[in-house]
Amino acid sequence: MTIINLMQAYELDKLSKLDITDEEIVQTLHTGDVSIWKERVPNYEFLETLALFQEGEQLFLDAFHGNYRIKYVTLPGIQRLLHLRFQLEEGKDYQLLEAGIQNLTCHEETITNLQRMLSTNWTLSKHVDGTYSIFMK
């Protein structure tokens, strides 16, 4: 499992939605010129993606395919990941509290991916009613 930072997670999510093959992504990263991606996603520089790729192609590919844990994630970071990666919305799919998230409803696959992604300072719990909560340890 690759350990990445929160911005790398955001960038990988945006990159995964650009409908480009792994080969095209790797070719672009080998050149070091990610300007074509910046044109398609103006708010992202993809510099963190480039830095991750420079740590190793296989590490990058593992992370790109979702096999990563985030070094440290904040509650707003979790909320943004829920929206970007899993299309889950506050008020509809979960309730946001000051210290965490409760009443999260989603597929088991999402929970598995989320559990793998969360930094070790968070705990994800399943409740009897089938909902989940995410709170700091």
Side-chain angles (χ1 to χ4, degrees):
M1 175 164 321
T2 304
I3 308 294
I4 64 174
N5 65 46
L6 190 55
M7 184 53 76
Q8 287 170 329
Y10 293 158
E11 287 183 3
L12 290 176
D13 180 73
K14 289 296 183 182
L15 187 58
S16 72
K17 293 179 174 137
L18 292 181
D19 195 31
I20 342 177
T21 67
D22 286 7
E23 293 76 24
E24 291 171 309
I25 291 169
V26 168
Q27 282 178 338
T28 300
L29 289 168
H30 273 296
T31 70
D33 180 11
V34 294
S35 59
I36 191 162
W37 301 340
K38 289 192 264 185
E39 291 171 14
R40 294 176 68 184
V41 188
N43 295 334
Y44 287 83
E45 294 292 319
F46 293 99
L47 297 178
E48 292 293 330
T49 300
L50 191 54
L52 178 60
F53 181 77
Q54 290 169 347
E55 290 178 31
E57 186 173 322
Q58 192 55 53
L59 285 174
F60 165 78
L61 288 171
D62 285 348
F64 182 67
H65 291 288
N67 190 21
Y68 65 81
R69 178 176 303 277
I70 300 170
K71 289 177 193 172
Y72 182 80
V73 65
T74 61
L75 182 56
I78 292 173
Q79 187 177 10
R80 189 164 180 200
L81 284 170
L82 288 172
H83 175 71
L84 288 175
R85 177 124 189 229
F86 305 111
Q87 294 75 49
L88 297 173
E89 301 288 332
E90 177 189 359
K92 178 182 167 195
D93 302 300
Y94 63 89
Q95 181 182 5
L96 183 65
L97 303 176
E98 189 172 309
I101 290 173
Q102 71 178 12
N103 300 321
L104 174 62
T105 57
C106 56
H107 300 299
E108 285 295 323
E109 181 181 344
T110 300
I111 292 300
T112 301
N113 288 330
L114 189 56
Q115 183 70 52
R116 183 175 54 237
M117 290 170 43
L118 287 175
S119 54
T120 57
N121 60 319
W122 293 95
T123 182
L124 191 144
S125 305
K126 185 174 185 174
H127 301 284
V128 180
D129 65 0
T131 65
Y132 295 84
S133 62
I134 304 171
F135 286 97
M136 239 185 207
K137 289 183 179 177

